[in-house]
Amino acid sequence: MKNDKMKNQYRVNEQIRAREVRVVSDDGAMVMPTRQALDMAHQQGVDLVEISPNAQPPVCRIIDYSKFLYQQKKRQKELKQKQVKQEVKEIRFGPQTDEHDYQFKLKHAIEFLEEGNKVRAYVFFRGRSILFKEQGEVLLLRFANDLEEYGKVEQLPKLEGKKMFLYMAPKKAGVVKKSQQKRDNERREAEAKEAAKAEDEAKASQNGLFANIKGGEDILKKLKDE
């Protein structure tokens, strides 16, 4: 079904209605009558594919249509993989949050923004604590200031019911967070490379040492045989 939808996006061969087309290739582009372009495609045993119908004249490629669809599907898949799914992560404060709790939540907010997610921080006023709304606003403004390096403010502190919200977005595009297993594998590979490097350096040093003393090569050979 998905392939059928993609096929219907492009006109091919006799479906192309324009009198002339611009045929693009690795060598450049050339405007020619559509019939001439069709003849060229048929001679090569491939298709004439209209890739930009709104251009004047329409842009076409001479290519095997199945191969063209495969390339388009592959390109879309690669673009999708590069895109980072952005989520909104919540950070909750009380109007009298202590310093330790504040620093703990600040650290999490930095991680969220570095991963490319948005942060919605809010202060929840329970009961009579609504009297401390100015204190909550000061806390959120401090929070935004401490995150200035990692994110930008989308909405300044705003009271909505019993909650005061602050919205922040990442400054940089997010990166896909590596799994613990992948990080462990990379660490083991790095350690193995370091060990191999150290071993090579030790061998080189030993070879140099024995080469500088009388009969050193014979001693080295004997040690290797053992």
Side-chain angles (χ1 to χ4, degrees), residues 10 14 24 67 71 111 120 129 156 158 160 167 169:
Y10 304 97
E14 280 72 17
V24 295
K67 181 181 178 181
Q71 291 175 346
E111 290 176 358
R120 177 170 62 187
S129 68
L156 288 168
K158 182 179 179 182
E160 298 178 16
Y167 288 85

Side-chain angles (χ1 to χ4, degrees), residues 2-28:
K2 193 173 181 180
N3 289 337
D4 291 340
K5 187 177 180 180
M6 184 175 285
K7 283 182 180 180
N8 294 331
Q9 289 181 353
Y10 304 97
R11 294 191 184 100
V12 187
N13 298 327
E14 280 72 17
Q15 295 176 351
I16 301 171
R17 303 187 185 94
R19 286 190 174 185
E20 62 179 14
V21 293
R22 185 183 303 275
V23 178
V24 295
S25 65
D26 295 336
D27 299 325

Side-chain angles (χ1 to χ4, degrees), residues 7-145:
K7 283 182 180 180
N8 294 331
Q9 289 181 353
Y10 304 97
R11 294 191 184 100
V12 187
N13 298 327
E14 280 72 17
Q15 295 176 351
I16 301 171
R17 303 187 185 94
R19 286 190 174 185
E20 62 179 14
V21 293
R22 185 183 303 275
V23 178
V24 295
S25 65
D26 295 336
D27 299 325
M30 183 182 298
V31 176
M32 63 181 71
T34 304
R35 176 46 56 189
Q36 182 182 345
L38 283 169
D39 290 342
M40 288 175 62
H42 292 159
Q43 288 172 9
Q44 297 177 32
V46 290
D47 304 290
L48 183 67
V49 182
E50 187 181 62
I51 59 175
S52 184
N54 296 325
Q56 295 296 329
V59 178
C60 296
R61 284 192 65 188
I62 294 177
I63 189 173
D64 180 86
Y65 191 41
S66 299
K67 181 181 178 181
F68 172 77
L69 290 177
Y70 172 76
Q71 291 175 346
Q72 293 298 106
K73 187 177 179 181
K74 185 179 179 181
R75 190 174 292 114
Q76 288 179 6
K77 187 177 180 181
E78 289 174 350
L79 288 173
K80 190 175 180 181
Q81 288 175 343
K82 289 179 181 178
Q83 290 175 347
V84 179
K85 185 179 179 182
Q86 192 176 62
E87 299 179 5
V88 179
K89 302 289 187 176
E90 283 197 344
I91 302 285
R92 172 176 169 167
F93 293 102
Q96 296 177 322
T97 299
D98 62 43
E99 184 63 21
H100 179 269
D101 192 30
Y102 175 84
Q103 293 297 332
F104 178 77
K105 291 177 178 179
L106 178 66
K107 180 182 176 183
H108 278 289
I110 290 172
E111 290 176 358
F112 294 150
L113 290 169
E114 286 183 332
E115 291 171 8
N117 298 306
K118 291 188 176 184
V119 169
R120 177 170 62 187
Y122 68 92
V123 178
F124 179 66
F125 300 99
R126 189 188 302 274
R128 292 176 61 84
S129 68
I130 193 70
L131 298 172
F132 301 100
K133 62 181 181 180
E134 289 82 7
Q135 192 171 332
E137 183 177 8
V138 170
L139 185 148
L140 289 176
L141 288 173
R142 176 194 173 189
F143 193 63
N145 185 65

